[in-house]
C-alpha cells in the first residue's frame, strides 16, 4: 500500500460499517458525520453546559431517519438546513431525527442541534466515562463511549470527522480543547477559545478541559497547560517530552498531529488519557514513576490517534503499540533495553490466567493490562524474528500507509505479509491463542549461541 492511502483502511471498510459488537448501542451505520462545529458555553460554578452543534452529514445507507448519541443533556431545537421545523424524538441515549424524505447514499445534509444541561459521566462496564467535574473546572475522558455526554454525535470509532470547537467559560478559568488554537477573546465576563481539528478524528478522541491553567512551551511544538502552583513539578516531570518526541519520530516517522498539547489538572486522576494531539495528566502523575505513562500517551499520537481502530475488538493495535513505545523510550534513554523489559513482562504474564485472546478479547477485557503487555510482547517477538532494521522499517511504513485511517488486525497481518515477512504462524500464536507463547531468543542469547557453534 502506498503511503497515506486509506482506500483499504478508512471508515468505509466493512468492519467499520457494521455495528460494533463491543458497543452495540452506540453509533448509527446509515450515515457518517464529516464535520462537527461545536459552539459551547460552560459555567463552572453550577456545571451548566449550553451547546449548539452543527453536523455535516453524508448518507451511506438509504434511510428516512438517523440516530445520534446524546446522554444526559436536553435538546431544545433540531433543524435540518432548509427546513423550518425538523421532527425529532429524544430518548435516554439517542436523538432520532426524521429526514425530509428517504435519502440515498452519497446525499448530504446539514443538521443543527441546540441542547443544554448539567453534563455528567455515564456509567458503563468500564466505569464512569465522559464529562467530569473537577474541584476547579472539568475534563472530558471519553474512551470508548463518553463523547455523547457533551455533544450529539455518531459515536463510532470508524466515523472520523474534522472539528471546530468554540468554548466560552468564566473569565477566571481557561478552556483548552483538542485541536489547534485559533483565537482567544474576552467578552461579558467570559473568555472564548476557538480550536480546529483538521485531521480526521474519532469522537472519543475529542476533549475539552476547563481549569485555572497557565500555558508555556517545552519547545517549538509542545505546549503545556497546567495550574501555576504545579509549575516546578510540571517542568521536571514533562522535561523529557522533547527527547521522547525525537526518539519516537526516529522509530515511527514524523509526528502525525497538528499540535501537541499536554494538560495537567490540579486534581489527581486515576489514569492519564490521550486525545487527538493532546493528553491529560493529573497532579499525581508528576512523579518519576510516571515517565512511562508520559511516553505511552505521546505514542498514542501515532498509534490510536493517527492510525486508529475501526472497531474496538482491535484495540491491541492502540494499546499494545503504545505499551511497546514505553519500552522503546527507556531503551533510547539508556535506562533498560526493550528486551529486558519484555522478558520481565513475559515472566509476569506467565503467572496470570491464560484466557485472553488479544485479537478479540471481549468487551469486558479490552482494557485489561494483560492485553497491553501481550500486544507489546507480540511486537517484540516480531522484532526478534525479523531484526531491528526491518522491524523499524515496518513500524514507519505502518504509520505512513495508514496515517489518519482506521485499521483492523487483518490489515496489520496483511501489511506484514506484503512487507515480505512470513509471520502468520507467529502472529496466530500471539494474537489468536490464549496460552502465552515463548519469546524468541534475545540478541544476547543469539550471539552466545553463535559463539558456541563457532567454537565446535
Amino acid at each position: 500500500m502506498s503511503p497515506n492511502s486509506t482506500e483499504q483502511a478508512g471508515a468505509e471498510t466493512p468492519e467499520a460499517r457494521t455495528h460494533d459488537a463491543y458497543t452495540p448501542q452506540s453509533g448509527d451505520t446509515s450515515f457518517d458525520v464529516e464535520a462537527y462545529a461545536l459552539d459551547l458555553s460552560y459555567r463552572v460554578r453550577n456545571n451548566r453546559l449550553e451547546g449548539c452543534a452543527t453536523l455535516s452529514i453524508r448518507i451511506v445507507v438509504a434511510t428516512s431517519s438517523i440516530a445520534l448519541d446524546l446522554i444526559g443533556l436536553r435538546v431544545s431545537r433540531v433543524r435540518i438546513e432548509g427546513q423550518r421545523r425538523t421532527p425529532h424524538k429524544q430518548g435516554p441515549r439517542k436523538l432520532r431525527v426524521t429526514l425530509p424524505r428517504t435519502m440515498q447514499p452519497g446525499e448530504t445534509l446539514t443538521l443543527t442541534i441546540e441542547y443544554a444541561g448539567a453534563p455528567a459521566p455515564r456509567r458503563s462496564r468500564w466505569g464512569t466515562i465522559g464529562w467530569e467535574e473537577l474541584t476547579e473546572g472539568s475534563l472530558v475522558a471519553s474512551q470508548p463511549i463518553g463523547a455523547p455526554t457533551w455533544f450529539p454525535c455518531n459515536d463510532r470509532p470508524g466515523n472520523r470527522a474534522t472539528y471546530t470547537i468554540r468554548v466560552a467559560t468564566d473569565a477566571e478559568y481557561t478552556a483548552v480543547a483538542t485541536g489547534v488554537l485559533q483565537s482567544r477573546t474576552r467578552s461579558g465576563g467570559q473568555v472564548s477559545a476557538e480550536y480546529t481539528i483538521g485531521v480526521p478524528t474519532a469522537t472519543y478522541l475529542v476533549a475539552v478541559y476547563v481549569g485555572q491553567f497557565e500555558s508555556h512551551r517545552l519547545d517549538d511544538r509542545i505546549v503545556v497547560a497546567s495550574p501555576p502552583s504545579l509549575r516546578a513539578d510540571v517542568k521536571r516531570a514533562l522535561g523529557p517530552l522533547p527527547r521522547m518526541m525525537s526518539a519516537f519520530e526516529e522509530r515511527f516517522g514524523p509526528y502525525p498531529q497538528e499540535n501537541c498539547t499536554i494538560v495537567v489538572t490540579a486534581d489527581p486522576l486515576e489514569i492519564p488519557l490521550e486525545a487527538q494531539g493532546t493528553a491529560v495528566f493529573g497532579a499525581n502523575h508528576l512523579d518519576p514513576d510516571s515517565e512511562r505513562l508520559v511516553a505511552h500517551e505521546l505514542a498514542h499520537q501515532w498509534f490510536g490517534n493517527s492510525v486508529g481502530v475501526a472497531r474496538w475488538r482491535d484495540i491491541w493495535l492502540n494499546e499494545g503499540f503504545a505499551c511497546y513505545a514505553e519500552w522503546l523510550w527507556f531503551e533510547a534513554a539508556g535506562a533498560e533495553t526493550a528486551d529486558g523489559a519484555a522478558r520481565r513482562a513475559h515472566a509476569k504474564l506467565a503467572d496470570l490466567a491464560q484466557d485472553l485472546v488479544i485479537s478479540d478479547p471481549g468487551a469486558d477485557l479490552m482494557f485489561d493490562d494483560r492485553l497491553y503487555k501481550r500486544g507489546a510482547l507480540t511486537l517484540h517477538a516480531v522484532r526478534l524474528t525479523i531484526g531491528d532494521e526491518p522491524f523499524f522499517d515496518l513500524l514507519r511504513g505502518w504509520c505512513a500507509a495508514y496515517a489518519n485511517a482506521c485499521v483492523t488486525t487483518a490489515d496489520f497481518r496483511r501489511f506484514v505479509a506484503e512487507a515480505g515477512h512470513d509471520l502468520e504462524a507467529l502472529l496466530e500464536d500471539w494474537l489468536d491463542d490464549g496460552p502465552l507463547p515463548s519469546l524468541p531468543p534475545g540478541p544476547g542469547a543469539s550471539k552466545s549461541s553463535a559463539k558456541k557453534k563457532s567454537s565446535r
Side-chain angles (χ1 to χ4, degrees), residues 325-349:
E326 299 174 28
W327 304 346
L328 292 178
W329 161 243
F330 287 116
E331 183 171 74
E336 181 183 29
T337 65
D339 190 65
R343 294 187 188 279
R344 284 192 299 106
H346 189 278
K348 291 180 179 178
L349 283 185

PDB file of all heavy atoms in Angstrom, residues 325-349:
ATOM      1  N   ALA A 325       6.033   1.222  23.006  1.00  0.00           N
ATOM      2  CA  ALA A 325       6.748   2.503  22.919  1.00  0.00           C
ATOM      3  C   ALA A 325       7.356   2.898  24.264  1.00  0.00           C
ATOM      4  O   ALA A 325       8.403   3.546  24.307  1.00  0.00           O
ATOM      5  CB  ALA A 325       5.806   3.591  22.422  1.00  0.00           C
ATOM      6  N   GLU A 326       6.699   2.529  25.374  1.00  0.00           N
ATOM      7  CA  GLU A 326       7.301   2.772  26.691  1.00  0.00           C
ATOM      8  C   GLU A 326       8.673   2.112  26.769  1.00  0.00           C
ATOM      9  O   GLU A 326       9.659   2.716  27.202  1.00  0.00           O
ATOM     10  CB  GLU A 326       6.417   2.206  27.795  1.00  0.00           C
ATOM     11  CG  GLU A 326       5.027   2.788  27.905  1.00  0.00           C
ATOM     12  CD  GLU A 326       4.201   2.035  28.939  1.00  0.00           C
ATOM     13  OE1 GLU A 326       4.811   1.474  29.884  1.00  0.00           O
ATOM     14  OE2 GLU A 326       2.966   1.974  28.798  1.00  0.00           O
ATOM     15  N   TRP A 327       8.733   0.845  26.350  1.00  0.00           N
ATOM     16  CA  TRP A 327       9.996   0.102  26.413  1.00  0.00           C
ATOM     17  C   TRP A 327      11.024   0.690  25.450  1.00  0.00           C
ATOM     18  O   TRP A 327      12.214   0.750  25.774  1.00  0.00           O
ATOM     19  CB  TRP A 327       9.763  -1.374  26.088  1.00  0.00           C
ATOM     20  CG  TRP A 327       8.749  -2.033  26.976  1.00  0.00           C
ATOM     21  CD1 TRP A 327       8.241  -1.544  28.146  1.00  0.00           C
ATOM     22  CD2 TRP A 327       8.105  -3.287  26.754  1.00  0.00           C
ATOM     23  NE1 TRP A 327       7.317  -2.423  28.674  1.00  0.00           N
ATOM     24  CE2 TRP A 327       7.221  -3.503  27.853  1.00  0.00           C
ATOM     25  CE3 TRP A 327       8.189  -4.256  25.758  1.00  0.00           C
ATOM     26  CZ2 TRP A 327       6.434  -4.650  27.957  1.00  0.00           C
ATOM     27  CZ3 TRP A 327       7.409  -5.394  25.859  1.00  0.00           C
ATOM     28  CH2 TRP A 327       6.539  -5.590  26.951  1.00  0.00           C
ATOM     29  N   LEU A 328      10.551   1.146  24.284  1.00  0.00           N
ATOM     30  CA  LEU A 328      11.461   1.764  23.315  1.00  0.00           C
ATOM     31  C   LEU A 328      12.036   3.068  23.860  1.00  0.00           C
ATOM     32  O   LEU A 328      13.207   3.392  23.604  1.00  0.00           O
ATOM     33  CB  LEU A 328      10.737   2.017  21.996  1.00  0.00           C
ATOM     34  CG  LEU A 328      10.340   0.776  21.191  1.00  0.00           C
ATOM     35  CD1 LEU A 328       9.594   1.188  19.931  1.00  0.00           C
ATOM     36  CD2 LEU A 328      11.560  -0.072  20.843  1.00  0.00           C
ATOM     37  N   TRP A 329      11.226   3.818  24.604  1.00  0.00           N
ATOM     38  CA  TRP A 329      11.739   5.069  25.162  1.00  0.00           C
ATOM     39  C   TRP A 329      12.839   4.800  26.176  1.00  0.00           C
ATOM     40  O   TRP A 329      13.910   5.424  26.135  1.00  0.00           O
ATOM     41  CB  TRP A 329      10.619   5.895  25.805  1.00  0.00           C
ATOM     42  CG  TRP A 329      11.175   6.928  26.758  1.00  0.00           C
ATOM     43  CD1 TRP A 329      10.971   7.016  28.098  1.00  0.00           C
ATOM     44  CD2 TRP A 329      12.056   8.011  26.421  1.00  0.00           C
ATOM     45  NE1 TRP A 329      11.673   8.061  28.633  1.00  0.00           N
ATOM     46  CE2 TRP A 329      12.347   8.697  27.631  1.00  0.00           C
ATOM     47  CE3 TRP A 329      12.635   8.450  25.239  1.00  0.00           C
ATOM     48  CZ2 TRP A 329      13.191   9.797  27.674  1.00  0.00           C
ATOM     49  CZ3 TRP A 329      13.485   9.555  25.284  1.00  0.00           C
ATOM     50  CH2 TRP A 329      13.751  10.219  26.489  1.00  0.00           C
ATOM     51  N   PHE A 330      12.614   3.874  27.080  1.00  0.00           N
ATOM     52  CA  PHE A 330      13.640   3.596  28.081  1.00  0.00           C
ATOM     53  C   PHE A 330      14.889   3.004  27.435  1.00  0.00           C
ATOM     54  O   PHE A 330      16.011   3.245  27.897  1.00  0.00           O
ATOM     55  CB  PHE A 330      13.091   2.683  29.177  1.00  0.00           C
ATOM     56  CG  PHE A 330      12.136   3.388  30.104  1.00  0.00           C
ATOM     57  CD1 PHE A 330      10.806   3.006  30.185  1.00  0.00           C
ATOM     58  CD2 PHE A 330      12.559   4.466  30.868  1.00  0.00           C
ATOM     59  CE1 PHE A 330       9.924   3.669  31.027  1.00  0.00           C
ATOM     60  CE2 PHE A 330      11.683   5.139  31.708  1.00  0.00           C
ATOM     61  CZ  PHE A 330      10.359   4.748  31.787  1.00  0.00           C
ATOM     62  N   GLU A 331      14.705   2.273  26.347  1.00  0.00           N
ATOM     63  CA  GLU A 331      15.858   1.785  25.588  1.00  0.00           C
ATOM     64  C   GLU A 331      16.618   2.948  24.976  1.00  0.00           C
ATOM     65  O   GLU A 331      17.859   3.012  25.059  1.00  0.00           O
ATOM     66  CB  GLU A 331      15.380   0.820  24.506  1.00  0.00           C
ATOM     67  CG  GLU A 331      16.487   0.181  23.694  1.00  0.00           C
ATOM     68  CD  GLU A 331      15.948  -0.919  22.787  1.00  0.00           C
ATOM     69  OE1 GLU A 331      15.296  -0.571  21.767  1.00  0.00           O
ATOM     70  OE2 GLU A 331      16.166  -2.102  23.084  1.00  0.00           O
ATOM     71  N   ALA A 332      15.898   3.895  24.372  1.00  0.00           N
ATOM     72  CA  ALA A 332      16.543   5.054  23.757  1.00  0.00           C
ATOM     73  C   ALA A 332      17.242   5.921  24.800  1.00  0.00           C
ATOM     74  O   ALA A 332      18.292   6.511  24.531  1.00  0.00           O
ATOM     75  CB  ALA A 332      15.507   5.886  22.998  1.00  0.00           C
ATOM     76  N   ALA A 333      16.658   5.990  26.002  1.00  0.00           N
ATOM     77  CA  ALA A 333      17.236   6.806  27.070  1.00  0.00           C
ATOM     78  C   ALA A 333      18.381   6.111  27.789  1.00  0.00           C
ATOM     79  O   ALA A 333      19.033   6.708  28.660  1.00  0.00           O
ATOM     80  CB  ALA A 333      16.149   7.178  28.082  1.00  0.00           C
ATOM     81  N   GLY A 334      18.628   4.835  27.452  1.00  0.00           N
ATOM     82  CA  GLY A 334      19.719   4.106  28.075  1.00  0.00           C
ATOM     83  C   GLY A 334      19.410   3.553  29.442  1.00  0.00           C
ATOM     84  O   GLY A 334      20.321   3.145  30.176  1.00  0.00           O
ATOM     85  N   ALA A 335      18.121   3.493  29.795  1.00  0.00           N
ATOM     86  CA  ALA A 335      17.747   3.004  31.125  1.00  0.00           C
ATOM     87  C   ALA A 335      17.623   1.487  31.165  1.00  0.00           C
ATOM     88  O   ALA A 335      18.069   0.840  32.112  1.00  0.00           O
ATOM     89  CB  ALA A 335      16.436   3.647  31.567  1.00  0.00           C
ATOM     90  N   GLU A 336      16.997   0.893  30.156  1.00  0.00           N
ATOM     91  CA  GLU A 336      16.796  -0.549  30.084  1.00  0.00           C
ATOM     92  C   GLU A 336      16.491  -0.922  28.648  1.00  0.00           C
ATOM     93  O   GLU A 336      15.784  -0.192  27.950  1.00  0.00           O
ATOM     94  CB  GLU A 336      15.637  -0.987  30.984  1.00  0.00           C
ATOM     95  CG  GLU A 336      15.382  -2.491  30.975  1.00  0.00           C
ATOM     96  CD  GLU A 336      14.181  -2.917  31.808  1.00  0.00           C
ATOM     97  OE1 GLU A 336      13.251  -2.100  31.939  1.00  0.00           O
ATOM     98  OE2 GLU A 336      14.177  -4.053  32.305  1.00  0.00           O
ATOM     99  N   THR A 337      16.987  -2.056  28.202  1.00  0.00           N
ATOM    100  CA  THR A 337      16.674  -2.489  26.842  1.00  0.00           C
ATOM    101  C   THR A 337      15.220  -2.921  26.747  1.00  0.00           C
ATOM    102  O   THR A 337      14.619  -3.355  27.737  1.00  0.00           O
ATOM    103  CB  THR A 337      17.560  -3.673  26.416  1.00  0.00           C
ATOM    104  OG1 THR A 337      17.251  -4.805  27.238  1.00  0.00           O
ATOM    105  CG2 THR A 337      19.032  -3.328  26.522  1.00  0.00           C
ATOM    106  N   ALA A 338      14.657  -2.799  25.552  1.00  0.00           N
ATOM    107  CA  ALA A 338      13.299  -3.288  25.341  1.00  0.00           C
ATOM    108  C   ALA A 338      13.238  -4.785  25.578  1.00  0.00           C
ATOM    109  O   ALA A 338      12.225  -5.306  26.067  1.00  0.00           O
ATOM    110  CB  ALA A 338      12.840  -2.951  23.920  1.00  0.00           C
ATOM    111  N   ASP A 339      14.328  -5.486  25.277  1.00  0.00           N
ATOM    112  CA  ASP A 339      14.337  -6.930  25.505  1.00  0.00           C
ATOM    113  C   ASP A 339      14.258  -7.247  26.998  1.00  0.00           C
ATOM    114  O   ASP A 339      13.535  -8.166  27.405  1.00  0.00           O
ATOM    115  CB  ASP A 339      15.599  -7.547  24.909  1.00  0.00           C
ATOM    116  CG  ASP A 339      15.540  -9.069  24.893  1.00  0.00           C
ATOM    117  OD1 ASP A 339      14.679  -9.614  24.173  1.00  0.00           O
ATOM    118  OD2 ASP A 339      16.332  -9.701  25.626  1.00  0.00           O
ATOM    119  N   GLY A 340      14.960  -6.480  27.818  1.00  0.00           N
ATOM    120  CA  GLY A 340      14.883  -6.691  29.259  1.00  0.00           C
ATOM    121  C   GLY A 340      13.487  -6.436  29.792  1.00  0.00           C
ATOM    122  O   GLY A 340      12.957  -7.212  30.600  1.00  0.00           O
ATOM    123  N   ALA A 341      12.865  -5.335  29.342  1.00  0.00           N
ATOM    124  CA  ALA A 341      11.501  -5.013  29.777  1.00  0.00           C
ATOM    125  C   ALA A 341      10.521  -6.077  29.304  1.00  0.00           C
ATOM    126  O   ALA A 341       9.611  -6.475  30.035  1.00  0.00           O
ATOM    127  CB  ALA A 341      11.096  -3.639  29.241  1.00  0.00           C
ATOM    128  N   ALA A 342      10.713  -6.561  28.076  1.00  0.00           N
ATOM    129  CA  ALA A 342       9.814  -7.572  27.522  1.00  0.00           C
ATOM    130  C   ALA A 342       9.899  -8.870  28.319  1.00  0.00           C
ATOM    131  O   ALA A 342       8.879  -9.506  28.605  1.00  0.00           O
ATOM    132  CB  ALA A 342      10.147  -7.822  26.059  1.00  0.00           C
ATOM    133  N   ARG A 343      11.079  -9.258  28.690  1.00  0.00           N
ATOM    134  CA  ARG A 343      11.217 -10.534  29.413  1.00  0.00           C
ATOM    135  C   ARG A 343      10.686 -10.431  30.835  1.00  0.00           C
ATOM    136  O   ARG A 343      10.131 -11.406  31.364  1.00  0.00           O
ATOM    137  CB  ARG A 343      12.673 -11.006  29.352  1.00  0.00           C
ATOM    138  CG  ARG A 343      13.054 -11.357  27.942  1.00  0.00           C
ATOM    139  CD  ARG A 343      14.394 -11.983  27.713  1.00  0.00           C
ATOM    140  NE  ARG A 343      14.602 -12.038  26.250  1.00  0.00           N
ATOM    141  CZ  ARG A 343      14.090 -12.981  25.463  1.00  0.00           C
ATOM    142  NH1 ARG A 343      13.354 -13.950  25.973  1.00  0.00           N
ATOM    143  NH2 ARG A 343      14.308 -12.946  24.159  1.00  0.00           N
ATOM    144  N   ARG A 344      10.797  -9.280  31.449  1.00  0.00           N
ATOM    145  CA  ARG A 344      10.161  -9.092  32.757  1.00  0.00           C
ATOM    146  C   ARG A 344       8.645  -9.170  32.621  1.00  0.00           C
ATOM    147  O   ARG A 344       7.956  -9.806  33.436  1.00  0.00           O
ATOM    148  CB  ARG A 344      10.564  -7.746  33.364  1.00  0.00           C
ATOM    149  CG  ARG A 344      11.959  -7.723  33.943  1.00  0.00           C
ATOM    150  CD  ARG A 344      12.221  -6.496  34.788  1.00  0.00           C
ATOM    151  NE  ARG A 344      12.100  -5.256  34.034  1.00  0.00           N
ATOM    152  CZ  ARG A 344      11.093  -4.407  34.117  1.00  0.00           C
ATOM    153  NH1 ARG A 344      10.058  -4.676  34.911  1.00  0.00           N
ATOM    154  NH2 ARG A 344      11.087  -3.293  33.401  1.00  0.00           N
ATOM    155  N   ALA A 345       8.100  -8.511  31.598  1.00  0.00           N
ATOM    156  CA  ALA A 345       6.652  -8.535  31.380  1.00  0.00           C
ATOM    157  C   ALA A 345       6.180  -9.951  31.061  1.00  0.00           C
ATOM    158  O   ALA A 345       5.120 -10.384  31.534  1.00  0.00           O
ATOM    159  CB  ALA A 345       6.274  -7.581  30.244  1.00  0.00           C
ATOM    160  N   HIS A 346       6.954 -10.670  30.275  1.00  0.00           N
ATOM    161  CA  HIS A 346       6.594 -12.042  29.914  1.00  0.00           C
ATOM    162  C   HIS A 346       6.527 -12.926  31.149  1.00  0.00           C
ATOM    163  O   HIS A 346       5.592 -13.742  31.311  1.00  0.00           O
ATOM    164  CB  HIS A 346       7.597 -12.593  28.900  1.00  0.00           C
ATOM    165  CG  HIS A 346       7.195 -13.900  28.306  1.00  0.00           C
ATOM    166  ND1 HIS A 346       7.415 -15.120  28.937  1.00  0.00           N
ATOM    167  CD2 HIS A 346       6.582 -14.203  27.124  1.00  0.00           C
ATOM    168  CE1 HIS A 346       6.965 -16.093  28.181  1.00  0.00           C
ATOM    169  NE2 HIS A 346       6.450 -15.569  27.058  1.00  0.00           N
ATOM    170  N   ALA A 347       7.495 -12.779  32.042  1.00  0.00           N
ATOM    171  CA  ALA A 347       7.515 -13.589  33.262  1.00  0.00           C
ATOM    172  C   ALA A 347       6.292 -13.311  34.126  1.00  0.00           C
ATOM    173  O   ALA A 347       5.709 -14.236  34.719  1.00  0.00           O
ATOM    174  CB  ALA A 347       8.800 -13.319  34.038  1.00  0.00           C
ATOM    175  N   LYS A 348       5.874 -12.062  34.192  1.00  0.00           N
ATOM    176  CA  LYS A 348       4.691 -11.714  34.985  1.00  0.00           C
ATOM    177  C   LYS A 348       3.416 -12.275  34.340  1.00  0.00           C
ATOM    178  O   LYS A 348       2.539 -12.802  35.027  1.00  0.00           O
ATOM    179  CB  LYS A 348       4.591 -10.201  35.148  1.00  0.00           C
ATOM    180  CG  LYS A 348       5.679  -9.614  36.031  1.00  0.00           C
ATOM    181  CD  LYS A 348       5.537  -8.104  36.160  1.00  0.00           C
ATOM    182  CE  LYS A 348       6.615  -7.519  37.060  1.00  0.00           C
ATOM    183  NZ  LYS A 348       6.522  -6.032  37.158  1.00  0.00           N
ATOM    184  N   LEU A 349       3.313 -12.148  33.021  1.00  0.00           N
ATOM    185  CA  LEU A 349       2.130 -12.671  32.333  1.00  0.00           C
ATOM    186  C   LEU A 349       2.029 -14.184  32.460  1.00  0.00           C
ATOM    187  O   LEU A 349       0.928 -14.739  32.524  1.00  0.00           O
ATOM    188  CB  LEU A 349       2.160 -12.287  30.848  1.00  0.00           C
ATOM    189  CG  LEU A 349       1.792 -10.853  30.469  1.00  0.00           C
ATOM    190  CD1 LEU A 349       1.758 -10.716  28.954  1.00  0.00           C
ATOM    191  CD2 LEU A 349       0.467 -10.432  31.061  1.00  0.00           C
TER     192      LEU A 349
END
